[in-house]
Amino acid sequence: MSTLFSPVNVLAMVPFAAALAWRIYQVVRAPTLPNWSVTACIAGFAAAFLLQQTVISDAVDDVFGLGAARVANNALLACGVSALILFFLGSALGPVRRYRRVVVELVPLAAAIVLMIVAMSVTPPELRGAALGPETIHDNGVALFYLGAGLYLIYALLACTAWIVRYLRVADRNLRIGLRLGAVGLASAAVGSIFRALYIVVAWAFGPVVKILLLLGVPFVVLGGALFLAGVTYPGVRARLSALRRRRRHRHEHQALAPLWTVLVSAFPSIVLRTPPRERFSPRSVHRVYYRRVIEIRDGLVQLSPYLDANFGEVVASDPGAAAAALKTALRRHADGEESDGRAKQVLPAGADDIESDVRPLLALSAAMGT
């Protein structure tokens, strides 16, 4: 039975899938070079992870020949990190310099991939696709393959880390946590790659196999990959959690405004705005219904304002109970058809600069109306 869906693999694939889904959503919303680059980066890492699974690597080797899966795996890793470099180039440079640097960055990537293909082709058939270890390290083809792949990863990982550190100075506060996690992750992966490169150089050039260098590299690479994924997904997770909190608050406040809204709609049915059918099932319908209710309440208060005192807005802010009593009296006078002074008045505290600021006194007034 394949181990592709073992608990460990599934646990590792979940963050890849979540990060890739979030980035695809971002690309659909804004298909810019930076968004495409990060999406390609995560897709490359995810595909490389899948190619490490025996059931998939064996299938690739059966179709394309021994060692093909190993070449594809390392090429995808290199392309993933290269795409991350392109993200920073696309974000930091102007159009002219950006495309020149893209061409420059593609040269070492292409050279590394060509070197891996050549090294695999000169490797004895029985060693092609074999993992790096004491039994394979002294073969020239194996050593050249892993050293070429490792050196490019070291360069690209350190370059991305430097870009992130530079970008941290001007990044939004909410983005810095994700960037720091990503920088630490990439630096950790670079350290692991350096340990592996030292293992290859020492064994290939001088003969002794220092296994501790290879063993030290593994936890750094694994930890680095996990931290990088955490850094990439952190802004999206934070944004989703913030959106959920905002939606829950709007739903609660929509219900809390019901007592005030009900009495005003009873007095002025025309204030109710029409709801397009397509909006009723929209993910943003909670926010639209909430803002519509606030607007309807404000319209109702404005229509009732000729029956209210001139200082009603100040009373709402200082004494919601007294404002509720004044509002009930005004509603009763309006229902009885009494004469008003005909002048519209300030119905909310002065100084509110957005609709969210208007809601606070309305919530207090609605609570007072309900009691």
Side-chain angles (χ1 to χ4, degrees), residues 302-321:
V302 169
Q303 291 197 35
L304 186 65
S305 63
Y307 292 92
L308 296 170
D309 294 336
N311 64 342
F312 180 78
E314 298 175 4
V315 176
V316 170
S318 60
D319 190 351

Side-chain angles (χ1 to χ4, degrees), residues 189-275:
V191 170
S193 299
I194 290 172
F195 277 125
R196 190 173 75 162
L198 289 174
Y199 170 82
I200 296 170
V201 170
V202 171
W204 188 27
F206 303 104
V209 177
V210 187
K211 293 181 65 175
I212 187 64
L213 291 174
L214 190 60
L215 294 175
L216 281 174
V218 174
F220 278 100
V221 172
V222 173
L223 178 63
L227 288 175
F228 172 74
L229 277 177
V232 170
T233 56
Y234 175 81
V237 171
R238 182 186 178 93
R240 288 297 91 197
L241 291 177
S242 177
L244 288 174
R245 286 195 298 268
R246 187 164 176 261
R247 185 175 301 166
R248 185 170 59 247
R249 177 170 60 84
H250 280 181
R251 185 181 294 112
H252 171 73
E253 291 182 355
H254 179 269
Q255 296 171 352
L257 289 171
L260 178 58
W261 177 83
T262 300
V263 296
L264 289 173
V265 167
S266 298
F268 307 102
S270 62
I271 66 175
V272 177
L273 301 173
R274 186 178 64 88
T275 303

Side-chain angles (χ1 to χ4, degrees), residues 25 98 105 116 118 192 229 353:
Y25 171 71
R98 177 191 308 164
E105 289 297 336
M116 285 187 277
V118 171
L229 277 177
D353 54 0

